[in-house]
Amino acid sequence: MHRHDDAPRLRLQRGQVTVLLGPEGARDRVRSALDPRAARCAGGHAVRGVLRVEPAPGEPAAARVAALDEACRERVPVLLAVRPSAGLAAAERRDVLAAVRRVAATGAAVLLDDADPVAALAVADAALRCGDDGSLAHDDLAVPALAAP
């Protein structure tokens, strides 16, 4: 995406899951910036190579996993996963989030905005905190190696 001089920069790493955190309205703006149905860069060009996966209410976990496995087979460059574990029991939520992780393992940059941010953080490499003021803050979630005594 092109960048306005004063606009915060959205950076997603290939092969990583980045969890989107912040107020709903701010997260919605970030999702819209990536949504392939409406996204435009500052130059007016459509954002390409983004797959949005968002389950319908009540969609079973197996169908959600199947959609994510299809993203693996398609080797999408960017996945926008919106509330993929919403309404699921803990075991199903783990299965769906493991499927999100598999998409990243294909080299995709994954932005995950989940109904359960704590579970999402468990599979994430980074977090993107967004504010109502349009601010974006990137946090690396990698645990530094412990020094030997």
Side-chain angles (χ1 to χ4, degrees):
M1 286 192 293
H2 296 283
R3 182 176 180 239
H4 294 289
D5 288 335
D6 59 349
R9 189 165 187 193
L10 177 61
R11 296 179 323 234
L12 298 175
Q13 291 290 107
R14 293 188 58 97
Q16 290 192 350
V17 175
T18 301
V19 174
L20 186 59
L21 302 173
E24 178 62 30
R27 291 190 340 266
D28 185 49
R29 284 189 297 278
V30 172
R31 288 189 309 260
S32 294
L34 270 182
D35 193 327
R37 297 175 296 193
R40 298 273 181 240
C41 70
H45 305 289
V47 174
R48 302 214 185 271
V50 178
L51 175 66
R52 181 183 177 122
V53 173
E54 182 173 8
E59 185 173 0
R64 299 174 194 207
V65 169
L68 292 162
D69 287 344
E70 180 62 23
C72 287
R73 285 188 292 280
E74 291 178 16
R75 301 190 70 81
V76 297
V78 179
L79 174 70
L80 173 58
V82 181
R83 300 178 62 82
S85 76
L88 298 178
E92 294 172 319
R93 186 171 33 253
R94 281 191 300 273
D95 291 344
V96 168
L97 293 175
V100 168
R101 191 75 231 157
R102 286 193 299 273
V103 176
T106 68
V110 177
L111 183 62
L112 173 60
D113 185 6
D114 198 58
D116 183 347
V118 173
L121 284 166
V123 300
D125 302 291
L128 177 63
R129 290 179 289 115
C130 51
D132 281 329
D133 61 356
S135 63
L136 296 176
H138 295 268
D139 293 320
D140 183 5
L141 300 177
V143 177
L146 297 175

